[in-house]
Amino acid sequence: MNLINSARKKLACGFAGWAMLTGLVGCGQSDSENSPTVATSSVGDTSTAPGKATTVIAAKPMDSKYPEVVLETTLGPITLKLNTEKAPLTVGNFLNYVERGHYNGTIVHEVHKNFIALLGGFTDDLKERHGDFPIRNEAANGLENKRYTVAMARLPNSIDSATSHFFINLNDNKNLDHAGKETEKFGFCVFGEVIAGREIVDQLNTIATSSKQDFPALPTATIAVQKAKRIK
């Protein structure tokens, strides 16, 4: 099963193709097996060869190496500390989305227990809020996908394909770290961590989910990001 039907097909699941490359679980498989991986969509042509530079968004100058953003969710506030020293392009991209209100009114659209919570691109009616052109993947920055860190999601068949979708690691996910130049080993760019509201992240890890449309692990109760705002 491959839920990415074409290069322009927007994210619903997208785990299956990656699972075939890495041996990770794909959509519809048991939680008792290894965890699934993460994928997202992008606007424009995503057929760029793996590792090739893609269109990038000009990041605004930042006055702090570690800006902070609060995600005001229906479960409570989650504060992210971002790392411009290790992931300057990724942080700039994320802040651009924050500052223009892209994340306001989006939902947590997948939660895979003891793995990841995925958000950043869908509204509560499961319509995608399209992102900009994809950015270069900074996964080789030395930051690891440890519990409570945040990282960009991407397409399984394209290294440089992250746009607005991101995820919070609910566990230490070494299998998502940069491990080589090949597409299946390049990894997912960590660009910050949760510094407040970790109890809410823990709560995310316990919520009930179900399969709906193309979403294999959609929370049964809507969890929305009411507002994302920079506080530092």
Side-chain angles (χ1 to χ4, degrees), residues 3-4 8-15 38-42 109-110 118-119 121-122 126 128 153-156 165 214-215:
L3 296 178
I4 303 176
R8 293 178 183 271
K9 176 70 175 178
K10 303 308 177 186
L11 170 71
C13 173
F15 298 145
V38 187
T40 191
S41 61
S42 59
H109 59 270
E110 288 191 28
L118 184 61
L119 60 164
F122 287 91
L126 303 183
E128 185 174 17
R154 66 172 176 90
L155 287 165
H165 295 248
D214 289 330
F215 298 83

Side-chain angles (χ1 to χ4, degrees), residues 38-40 80-82 87 90-91 93-94 103 115-120 135 137-139 141 143-154 162-170 173 176-178 187-194:
V38 187
T40 191
L80 310 178
K81 181 179 181 180
L82 311 179
T90 307
V91 171
N93 175 63
F94 183 78
Y103 294 126
F115 185 49
I116 59 96
L118 184 61
L119 60 164
I135 60 171
N137 192 334
E138 296 178 301
N141 61 12
L143 298 178
E144 299 175 319
N145 282 275
K146 292 186 175 181
R147 188 180 181 187
Y148 302 120
T149 60
V150 290
M152 295 305 297
R154 66 172 176 90
T163 57
S164 65
H165 295 248
F166 66 99
F167 60 93
I168 302 173
N169 282 293
L170 304 178
N173 294 314
L176 301 183
D177 291 342
H178 177 73
F188 298 82
C189 177
V190 174
F191 63 97
E193 64 177 325
V194 176

